[in-house]
Amino acid sequence: MNITRENVDALNAVVKVDIAKEDYSDKVEKILTDYRKTANIPGFRKGHVPMGMVKKQYGKAVLVDEVNKLLQDALNKYLTEEKLDVLGQPLPKPQDDIDWDAEKFSFEFELGLAPEFEVELKGKKAITQYNIVADDKMIDEQVERIQKQYGKLVSQETVEKDSEITGTFTNEEKEIDNKVTLTLDKFEGKATEKQFIGAKVGDVITLKTKGLYSDEHELMHALKLSHDDVHGLDIEVNFTINEINKRELADLDQELFDKLFGEGTVKSVTELKDKIKEDAEKQFVQQADQKLLNDVTEYLVENTKFDLPAEFLTKWMQTAGEKEMNAEEAKEEYEKSEKSLRYQLIEGKLIEANDIKITMDDIKDHARNMIKAQMAQFGQMNPSDKELDDIAARVLSNQDEARRISEQIISQRLLEVYKEKANLKTKELSYENFVKEVYGDK
């Protein structure tokens, strides 16, 4: 067997594999001999079928199968030994005229080669690293939410500005009949609020759906309709009032503190606010980190310049998926996935340059910590090591889940690299201002 490579350019190559009779003949002969021992052919006793007949019936199929196996093994070994960094998979050049009666065969494969490039983390323009803080306004609002959540409902005769109103939305034509509890602050306009003020149980209020809520999701919940159904909906609905209540705020006392955080953990309103601030800012770190990860990724993709073997990858995509694509579909798919492919190559460079390695112990530890955090949300604060290990083993038996956890760890490790080596500038702001700046004032 002989394997040669011709580099077309820096990103494309053709590998030629020449297979001679001595490479496959012994294997083919052995398989046909085994076939002869077990073949059932009318007119011959088992094991006594003439070899010529076995070769005539099975010879070509066995030859084709063995040559293909030999070809794939040789090609994979060659790519490994030559340390070729290929993109996609080798593409066989079409050969419609293979003479399987010949003794020698030649096959050619197109290769797409990974480009050579350098990754520069420290760019001229600094990337913003957000430090999100819980300000007094947010903490006070959270305290009030807690008081409302654990407070008690007091029945009212008429609707006031801060009432909780339970009632039913109806519209015969659209078959709307949905019972909800609402508060007036959720409505978009003051005019709607005025319609409710002073109303009593049993009153029916007619409302227009257009402009009723600023967020369509609120309207979806109120009317129990799908997103498509509420989009642009402009009808009248009736709201029949069933109950009117006012929520009396819970006292900020030790009983409430113990209910929220466990006995003796928080002992004053000041400690309550400190705890709320601490817990909120832990959550904010995750959001800030995700924003930083997204921004650095975007920066790297936009500023790390290299060419890709686009023609090869487009051709490869035609047959790489579960469903075969035509040339136009493959071109469209390549254009959609090019950015992702570029980042995969950049990420690979960064992982290698920073010696990032993920062990099975890392994956198990991450899974255990993830499970422990989830269990804590449901009040299971001290699970045993055996419980964690058993659940982690079940989680990691799913290959997709194990791969997802591995990707999470790599992202965390890369984030540490970015924080250490990228050109960053820190910006401190409240969560409200963070949302406005990053996502727009919605």
Side-chain angles (χ1 to χ4, degrees), residues 176-187:
I176 296 168
D177 187 357
N178 189 43
K179 187 175 181 179
V180 294
T181 297
L182 53 81
T183 55
L184 300 182
D185 60 314
K186 295 290 185 182
F187 290 123

Side-chain angles (χ1 to χ4, degrees), residues 369-399:
N369 291 334
M370 181 182 71
I371 293 160
K372 194 172 182 178
Q374 289 172 348
M375 292 175 78
Q377 291 177 357
F378 294 95
Q380 293 176 266
M381 306 305 294
N382 295 299
S384 67
D385 287 340
K386 186 178 186 308
E387 279 182 291
L388 292 173
D389 287 340
D390 288 348
I391 298 171
R394 288 199 296 273
V395 170
L396 297 177
S397 65
N398 182 320
Q399 289 186 348

